[in-house]
Amino acid sequence: MKSILVASDLSSRSKPAVQRAVQLAEGSGAALCVLHVVEDDLLEDRMRHEIRSAEDYLTDQVAGFGKPPACDVAVAMGHAFHVIGE
């Protein structure tokens, strides 16, 4: 396994998926990308706030699980279904 993508909606239900992805990345040496998608129908100021909040939350969450060496936290804008698939 070379890379792992885990998507999070920042809910408590996503936490075990992120934790497992971190474990898999650490065990296999795979690069990890933790992705959250912010819907693009928000006002610009609100969207910037949502992006910063999501980045901070996911960075802290991943660090709490033992951040693998090759780990990126990405927050994208759009419709989650389409962005995750891309």
Side-chain angles (χ1 to χ4, degrees), residues 2-56:
K2 293 182 181 181
S3 60
I4 298 169
L5 170 67
V6 62
S8 173
D9 64 1
L10 309 181
S11 71
S12 60
R13 295 177 310 197
S14 292
K15 188 176 180 178
V18 173
Q19 183 176 21
R20 183 65 178 138
V22 169
Q23 291 169 346
L24 288 170
E26 288 176 332
S28 67
L32 174 63
C33 179
V34 182
L35 173 66
H36 175 70
V37 181
V38 174
E39 294 293 325
D40 58 2
D41 59 354
L42 300 173
L43 296 174
E44 188 175 340
D45 289 342
R46 182 70 181 153
M47 191 176 304
R48 279 196 298 257
H49 173 74
E50 290 293 321
I51 290 169
R52 279 192 304 271
S53 294
E55 288 172 341
D56 291 345

